Amino acid sequence: MHWAVTTYDTAFGYVSAHGAPLVDLLDPQPGEKIIDLGCGTGAFAAEIAERGAAVLGIDGSPEMIAQAKALHPELSFAIDDAHCFTTSESFDAVASNAALHWMTRDPDAVIARVHESLRPGGRFVGELGGEGNCAELIVAMQTAWRVFGLSEPELPWYFPSPAEYAGRLEEGGFTVRLLEHAERPSRMVEGPNGAADWIRVYAPGALAEVPPELVEPLLQRVNDLAAPALRRESGWVADYVRLRFAAVRKADGSSSVY
Ligand code: BEZ
C-alpha cells in the first residue's frame, strides 16, 4: 500500500497521540536497543529514543520511512517487511504501536521474526486493533457497498481476539505478562467528514474498486449509516477497540517461564 503520509499524520492525529501511554508500558531504559516495528513516520520511535534507548524503526513503506528520516534525522530507520525482517544483533525489546493490524498476511510469521530479533528475556510490547475494532464503521461500509450493488470491500486489517493473540504469542515462544482488550472511542479530531474521511485515509484500496462517479454518493451513504452510532454534537468518534499486550521471550529450550 502507498500512504498519503501527510494526511495519515495530521488528519487522524490520534494514531500518534495514543502512543504516549504505550511507551510507559514498554519502559525503555537508557542504552537499551529497541525496534519500533511498523514505525510509520517515526513519532513513537522518537518517544522511545527520548528515554535514552537506541531505536531502530522498521516499516514496509518507503514513503513512511522517507518521512521518518526527514522528521527524525538522528534516529535509525529501515525499510523492511515485518513478516521476514532479520537483524544482525539481538535487541532488548520490540515495540509496535497501531501497526500490527496492518500485517495481515501471516501474524505468526511476524511473531516469529520478533522472537528471532530479541535476546532471551527481551520484551515484545504492542497495541493494535482488537476484535470488534471499528465495528460500526465496518458495518456501515459493508452495508453501503451492498446498497450500491458493489461486491464486499476487502478489509486490509487483522483485529484478533485476546485469546487468539495470546495463543499465538505463547506458541511463538513468549510468556504473556499483560493483555488488555478495551474500548477506546476516539474523536476524529481533524476528520470533519467523519466515516467518509476515515475510509479515504484507512481504506483507499476499497475505494479504488469503486467507479469514480459512485465514490461521493457511496461515502455519503456510509456517513448516513454510521452517524447514529458515531456522530456526536462535538464531532465524529471512531469506535476503536484496542488490544494491548506485553510479552517476554522465553529462555531458549524452556517450555514455560511459570
Ligand atoms: C486502528 O488504529 O485501530 C485502525 C487504524 C486504521 C484502520 C483500522 C484500524
Side-chain angles (χ1 to χ4, degrees):
M1 173 179 302
H2 290 270
W3 289 99
V5 171
T6 314
T7 321
Y8 184 91
D9 245 13
T10 57
F12 293 88
Y14 47 77
V15 169
S16 298
H18 282 175
L22 190 63
V23 82
D24 289 334
L25 182 61
L26 175 64
D27 194 20
Q29 299 300 308
E32 279 194 320
K33 290 180 293 179
I34 298 180
I35 291 173
D36 176 6
L37 192 60
C39 64
T41 58
F44 187 46
E47 284 183 51
I48 297 168
E50 274 172 23
R51 307 280 181 102
V55 187
L56 170 63
I58 295 178
D59 202 287
S61 158
E63 294 92 341
M64 288 288 182
I65 289 295
Q67 184 79 343
K69 285 180 172 171
L71 291 171
H72 310 285
E74 72 289 2
L75 303 184
S76 301
F77 294 100
I79 302 167
D80 215 335
D81 181 339
H83 295 84
C84 50
F85 76 99
T86 56
T87 56
S88 54
E89 53 183 340
S90 286
F91 284 75
D92 298 297
V94 174
S96 185
N97 185 29
L100 292 166
H101 50 236
W102 292 107
M103 302 171 195
T104 54
R105 198 167 76 237
D106 185 353
D108 293 325
V110 174
I111 291 170
R113 292 294 87 225
V114 171
H115 185 273
E116 177 75 16
S117 71
L118 287 170
R119 63 169 170 77
R123 319 188 294 289
F124 182 23
V125 174
E127 185 172 301
L128 67 157
E131 186 178 43
N133 194 33
C134 304
E136 298 282 358
L137 281 163
I138 290 170
V139 167
M141 218 178 142
Q142 289 169 329
T143 306
W145 256 246
R146 240 187 348 264
V147 167
F148 276 73
L150 302 164
S151 47
E152 283 240 324
E154 204 154 302
L155 302 176
W157 314 301
Y158 167 60
F159 300 142
S161 71
E164 177 190 330
Y165 208 67
R168 290 187 189 277
L169 288 168
E170 291 284 347
E171 278 294 305
F174 289 92
T175 299
V176 178
R177 298 285 192 208
L178 173 139
L179 192 63
E180 286 175 356
H181 186 225
E183 292 183 349
R184 193 186 297 154
S186 301
R187 290 193 52 204
M188 298 185 191
V189 182
E190 291 174 45
N193 204 20
D197 284 353
W198 188 88
I199 290 170
R200 285 186 200 281
V201 174
Y202 291 120
L207 282 180
E209 307 293 318
V210 176
E213 68 279 9
L214 289 188
V215 168
E216 286 307 324
L218 180 69
L219 290 177
Q220 185 53 53
R221 183 62 68 96
V222 176
N223 267 1
D224 293 343
L225 289 163
L230 301 179
R231 194 169 60 203
R232 313 268 190 276
E233 268 182 32
S234 55
W236 284 82
V237 172
D239 54 337
Y240 279 14
V241 175
R242 305 282 88 182
L243 192 62
R244 172 175 284 208
F245 65 89
V248 176
R249 181 185 153 155
K250 289 175 187 166
D252 288 333
S254 80
S255 55
S256 172
V257 167
Y258 295 121

